[in-house]
Amino acid sequence: MILAFALTAAVLFGTGAYLLLERDLLRVVGGIALISQAAAVTLIGVSLTRGQAPIAPEAGQPVSDPVPQALVLTALVIGLATLALLLALVHRVVVVFRTARREELAAQETEHSETLEPDQQRDRDEAA
């Protein structure tokens, strides 16, 4: 693998891992996107071969393998669709809860579950 591809993949993965540890949901989504791109760069870097196009190769000449390029293209499309879904989910969370901070979301969830506790206890008593 070429050093430039290795360094790029390492920087993308490290930055993505750092963003996953942040408290804001948008940064978490950005971290997931960067780690996805790091995987794509790694696949491209590992599969680099110098050769002719596999359409009409000459005998005895090296041929490039198109499969890793197709895999990376597929991974990019799937990653983009996943990113769009995650952004839609974060948007819905922000609209409903008015925050994208994980601590505030956890506090609101705890508060909501405490308000539901009497109803849950009543349901348990009726079921018994």
Side-chain angles (χ1 to χ4, degrees):
M1 177 160 41
I2 297 176
L3 184 62
F5 281 99
L7 289 175
T8 303
V11 168
L12 284 173
F13 188 85
T15 306
Y18 175 76
L19 287 176
L20 281 177
L21 299 174
E22 291 290 323
R23 291 172 163 65
D24 190 29
L25 290 179
L26 285 175
R27 291 187 179 174
V28 170
V29 171
I32 291 171
L34 286 178
I35 289 176
S36 169
Q37 298 307 310
V41 168
T42 302
L43 277 173
I44 290 172
V46 168
S47 66
L48 282 179
T49 57
R50 305 247 190 297
Q52 295 180 340
I55 295 174
E58 296 177 12
Q61 296 291 338
V63 178
S64 335
D65 188 12
V67 173
Q69 296 172 6
L71 288 174
V72 169
L73 183 61
T74 304
L76 290 175
V77 170
I78 291 171
L80 182 63
T82 304
L83 183 64
L85 176 66
L86 286 174
L87 287 174
L89 288 174
V90 168
H91 178 263
R92 184 66 185 154
V93 165
V94 169
V95 166
V96 170
F97 294 105
R98 305 265 188 238
T99 185
R101 310 272 304 166
R102 292 192 307 197
E103 297 88 15
E104 295 171 11
L105 289 170
Q108 287 181 9
E109 182 182 4
T110 303
E111 180 182 311
H112 182 68
S113 67
E114 288 173 356
T115 60
L116 292 178
E117 186 61 37
D119 293 336
Q120 291 174 346
Q121 185 61 38
R122 189 176 58 234
D123 289 343
R124 281 188 223 117
D125 291 343
E126 288 177 2

